[in-house]
Each structure stands twice: as structure tokens, then as C-alpha cells.
Amino acid sequence: MTVTAIVGANWGDEGKGKMTDVLAATSSYVVRYQGGSNAGHTIINDYGKFSLHMLPSGVFYSNVTNIIGPGTALDVNVLLQERNSLLTRGVPEPKLVISDRAQMVLPVHRLFDELEELRLGSQSFGSTKRGIAPFYADKYAKLGIQVADLYDKTRLRSRLEQSLASKNVLLEHLYKHTPLQLESLLKELLEQAELLKPFVGDTTSILHEAYANGEDILLEGQLGALRDPDHGIYPYSTSSSTLAGFAPVGAGLPPYAITRVIAVVKAYSSCVGAGPFVTELHGEEAEQLRRLGGDAGEYGATTGRPRRVGWLDTVATRYGCKLQGATEVALTNLDVLGYLDEIPVCIGYKLSDTNVTSHFPATAQLEAATPVLQRLPGWKSNISHVRSFADLPVEAKQYVHFVEAAIGVRVATLSVGPRREQIISR
Ligand code: GDP
């Protein structure tokens, strides 16, 4: 019986989807507890290749109950489309329960996300335009719509009236956009309510009971530590906490329930969106890593945008692991580095001519940081077929030992390819 959080130590896209898919095999519950359809988890298994945005990564196993917790930003259209696409591709009907306390991403949130990015122009944050920031703004301004509200028409109408009042003023006067009609939004939500009904439940009670019964529960994080609004690279952060510490809150479990925190770390760095990225590569060096990274190059699973890429940053990763409270690390995409004679790794930040630090600074200082790199010998071979640590080339083992020492957390698992079976446990 273990409650495990699987979370990102970097900017997201570390390969959490694959690792969750692997761990889900022995879990009874897989829970999404924060964020919405703004990040994609790539999973490659016997059914094919999938990019999940809203569904938990346990949907491919019939033994797993998949839960969308109260802390999430529920995008009903994306959720239902994903479910249908799984079914049409031969995946058996997944067990899915959506919290009646989860809140709904509304079309108006997406609209505001787009209009605000346009208004900000060159100052924009590189939003995925899935409505996430306006959604969480509404949630904390107490203007959100809970799933349970969908089944009380009078209440839903009054909640929408309250929410639309100020938005229509902004639409007309700030964004020069036509105001939104309450009736059409209400109609759309009532239609969604019917489609959603079979999946809605009290997930907090379900999880508490599962915890009391000693079931294995996997809490699946989205994005990574450096995107956390409190501790990450603000304001180039997301709008909900990406940390394992938030996982029991967003899922609805006691804070002491989690005993295992797996921080997923990528063997190099990648980043989608704007903001300082100290080890970023440019030109041909970047192109090569981008082309060879991930399962089909480093291109966003949600947006298709080319991801920014760079060398492994142990300053950022050590900080990320600390924030996550990592009890172990899963190091992914190690196979990708097999083309390099030497592998540069960032071991410090130069903040000025006289100031080199190994601490991850706040954004104001981070903007000016340049990397201090150490070069490790490459292994110059394909390791994607290797299944035991002992069989890795000596340089690959050295790389893993170096990373472990630099970030201060044991690397318990290595991923050497995008497929389920391409895994080494230590
Ligand atoms: P997530 O959001 O953390 O789940 O990560 P993404 O799915 O967005 O990005 C990870 C990318 O790396 C995907 O293309 C995966 O298929 C791929 N991937 C995961 N682990 C490995 C690995 O060990 N090696 C390689 N080559 N690709 C991997």
C-alpha cells in the first residue's frame, strides 16, 4: 500500500506520462490533481501512441480507477474527445470518476486567454491558450462553476450571471469584443452536464476509502517544479501548484498519505513557452538535440510548438527535486544523448563577473544568469535496448552517478526510450 506522487523536477515534458503508464500497471487509482488540458502526456503502448491532456494516464489498464480531482481545471470537451478517441482505437472503456467539486473551464476562459495574449503582444507568457489562467483567476475570485452546479439549473444560471457581469464589461471596453450571451452558455453547459453525468462522483470519499483500505494510489502531476506559481520562474509559471505538496490537497487526501515522491528528470532540458532558460541552446546544436529528443523530436504535445532545448541544468534540477520533496528520481531520455562525444552539464550559474552560484535564484536575477558547464564523456552508442544498469556503457553509468551527486537524490529508475518496456530499475 503506497500513495505515490509522480511529478516533474524541471519545466514539464520530462516524460511523466510514460513513467505513470509504467507505474499504473500496479496501481488501483491514478489521480489528476491540478492543471487542465494545457499539458500533454505522451504514452506509447500496445494500443498505439497517445497524447493525453485531460485523462489520467491510467486509462489503459482495466484494473485502474482514474480520478479527476477537485484541484483540476476540467475541460469537458477535451475529456470527452479523448475518451472517444481511446474507444475508437480499441482501448477498453476506462474506469473514470470526476469530482463533483472540480471546476469547469468555460469557453469564456479560453476566449480571455486568447484576447489577453493578443493584448500583451511581445510581453506575452506563451500561454497554451487553454483558458487555464482565466480559469484559476475565476476560481480564486470565487466566480468558478463546480461540476455539481451543472445539476441545479437555477443555481447555474445565477453563478453564470455573476461571472459574466464583469467579463462582459472587459470584453466590450478593454478587448473591443462582443459581449457573451448567458443563454447560449447555459444551454451548452446543460448539454455537457448530461454527457458528464455517468462519470461524476464524490472522489474525495472514494480516495479516502481506498487509502483506508491500503490500496496503491498514484497522484499524477502536470508540468514541473519550475512552473509552480510560488516557487517557480514567476511569472513564467502556470496557475496551479505543480508540487507534490499540493497533490493531497488537489486530490483530496490527508497530507501525510504520500510516502513516495518520484521526481521525473530529463537527461537534458526542454522548455515550452517564454521565460529565462539558462542552458538554452540555439542554432544547429539546438536543432540536433530537438530532432533527436523524445519519441519524435521535441515538439509540444499540446501545441506542436518546437520546444526550447538545452543541456541538463543541475542547479535548476536540484532545486526542483528539493521543492518536490523527491524521495527518488526517474531519469528519462538518457538514450537521446548517445550522439554526443562530450555531454555538457550545467553545474553553476554566473550571475556577474564576481558572482557564481549553485543556488537557483528568483526570476529577477535568473534573467542575467549564464551557465557554468562541465563536460562529461559521451558513450557514443545506442542504449535503448539495455535493460539493466550493469549493461550500460561505463560513460552512461558515470553520467547517472554525476547527476545523482549533483542533485542529491538517488536515481532509482532510468528510461532509455519512449516505450513502456524501455526501462531500467536500480
Ligand atoms: P510529460 O508531459 O512529462 O508526460 O512528457 P511529454 O510526454 O510531453 O514528453 C516526453 C517526451 O519524451 C514524449 O515524446 C515521450 O514519448 C518521450 N519519452 C519519454 N521517455 C523517453 C525516453 O526515455 N527516451 C526517449 N527517447 N523518449 C522518451
Side-chain angles (χ1 to χ4, degrees):
M1 63 157 282
T2 316
V3 180
T4 303
I6 182 153
V7 287
N10 309 127
W11 288 260
D13 304 322
E14 297 93 348
K16 295 178 296 296
K18 173 194 159 160
M19 292 306 305
T20 311
D21 183 53
V22 170
L23 284 162
T26 54
S27 302
S28 304
Y29 292 84
V30 176
V31 187
R32 280 284 308 269
Y33 59 86
Q34 47 90 213
S37 66
N38 50 325
H41 292 174
T42 311
I43 294 177
I44 302 174
N45 55 30
D46 294 344
Y47 297 107
K49 177 175 170 176
F50 298 85
S51 182
L52 298 180
H53 301 278
M54 206 59 250
L55 287 174
S57 299
V59 286
F60 301 99
Y61 295 96
S62 52
N63 57 305
V64 172
T65 301
N66 294 277
I67 288 193
I68 309 263
T72 54
L74 175 65
D75 190 320
V76 177
N77 287 334
V78 172
L79 179 112
L80 295 173
Q81 272 165 22
E82 269 180 16
R83 177 179 160 274
N84 285 342
S85 136
L86 254 56
L87 298 182
T88 53
R89 291 175 64 188
V91 179
E93 173 83 56
K95 276 193 243 166
L96 176 68
V97 191
I98 299 166
S99 168
D100 54 1
R101 286 191 167 85
Q103 295 198 13
M104 313 272 296
V105 177
L106 304 177
V108 62
H109 294 138
R110 283 179 180 252
L111 177 63
F112 267 69
D113 209 350
E114 274 171 34
L115 293 172
E116 187 58 10
E117 283 282 294
L118 269 178
R119 189 184 73 82
L120 289 168
S122 62
Q123 303 290 307
S124 76
F125 299 108
S127 165
T128 53
K129 300 189 187 137
R130 297 297 181 107
I132 301 301
F135 164 90
Y136 278 106
D138 263 7
K139 175 172 179 165
Y140 291 109
K142 292 163 279 194
L143 292 170
I145 307 287
Q146 286 190 319
V147 167
D149 296 336
L150 298 176
Y151 304 101
D152 178 341
K153 192 172 170 185
T154 313
R155 180 179 169 82
L156 181 60
R157 180 189 291 277
S158 124
R159 297 288 299 152
L160 282 176
E161 261 165 13
Q162 238 183 335
S163 174
L164 283 187
S166 60
K167 286 192 188 62
N168 274 339
V169 175
L170 284 174
L171 276 177
E172 264 191 281
H173 298 286
L174 177 65
Y175 298 118
K176 313 294 178 209
H177 193 279
T178 42
L180 295 167
Q181 300 302 319
L182 183 135
E183 290 309 322
S184 62
L185 187 53
L186 185 64
K187 182 168 172 283
E188 189 176 332
L189 285 179
L190 290 172
E191 282 166 10
Q192 287 186 340
E194 283 314 301
L195 299 172
L196 213 55
K197 211 170 196 169
F199 308 109
V200 176
D202 173 3
T203 59
T204 305
S205 295
I206 293 173
L207 282 178
H208 271 257
E209 198 177 321
Y211 176 61
N213 291 336
E215 307 266 17
D216 284 315
I217 301 172
L218 200 55
L219 306 175
E220 178 183 17
Q222 182 223 33
L223 297 169
L226 305 174
R227 297 295 190 203
D228 184 74
D230 290 309
H231 302 275
I233 308 173
Y234 187 85
Y236 305 101
S237 39
T238 191
S239 307
S240 62
S241 177
T242 55
L243 302 184
F246 181 77
V249 178
L253 276 167
Y256 49 79
I258 298 181
T259 51
R260 188 180 179 201
V261 178
I262 304 174
V264 185
V265 172
K266 212 169 191 163
Y268 52 94
S269 300
S270 71
C271 161
V272 175
F277 180 20
V278 177
T279 63
E280 182 166 17
L281 292 170
H282 300 280
E284 184 43 38
E285 244 185 334
E287 266 312 311
Q288 198 170 19
L289 181 52
R290 187 176 297 119
R291 223 178 20 251
L292 298 171
D295 72 288
E298 288 289 354
Y299 299 93
T302 302
T303 58
R305 290 185 288 193
R307 290 177 182 150
R308 300 161 70 193
V309 291
W311 304 128
L312 177 71
D313 181 339
T314 64
V315 178
T317 304
R318 184 171 56 246
Y319 178 68
C321 286
K322 198 185 289 179
L323 292 178
Q324 294 293 14
T327 57
E328 63 187 89
V329 154
L331 186 66
T332 69
N333 284 269
L334 192 63
D335 53 301
V336 172
L337 300 178
Y339 70 100
L340 291 158
D341 292 325
E342 282 190 322
I343 310 174
V345 177
C346 173
I347 53 164
Y349 289 174
K350 191 172 171 190
L351 299 179
S352 71
D353 283 346
T354 53
N355 188 1
V356 173
T357 182
S358 56
H359 291 278
F360 192 77
T363 313
Q365 278 185 300
L366 190 63
E367 305 267 10
T370 54
V372 178
L373 297 174
Q374 179 165 339
R375 288 167 196 281
L376 303 181
W379 47 91
K380 291 291 280 180
S381 59
N382 181 359
I383 57 166
S384 57
H385 56 281
V386 178
R387 296 291 174 269
S388 92
F389 192 71
D391 293 341
L392 281 173
V394 63
E395 296 85 356
K397 286 186 210 163
Q398 262 173 24
Y399 190 79
V400 174
H401 288 139
F402 184 89
V403 172
E404 255 176 354
I407 64 178
V409 186
R410 199 176 102 79
V411 175
T413 315
L414 296 164
S415 174
V416 290
R419 300 187 62 84
R420 245 180 213 177
E421 64 278 9
Q422 290 175 308
I423 205 108
I424 297 175
S425 298
R426 288 175 77 204

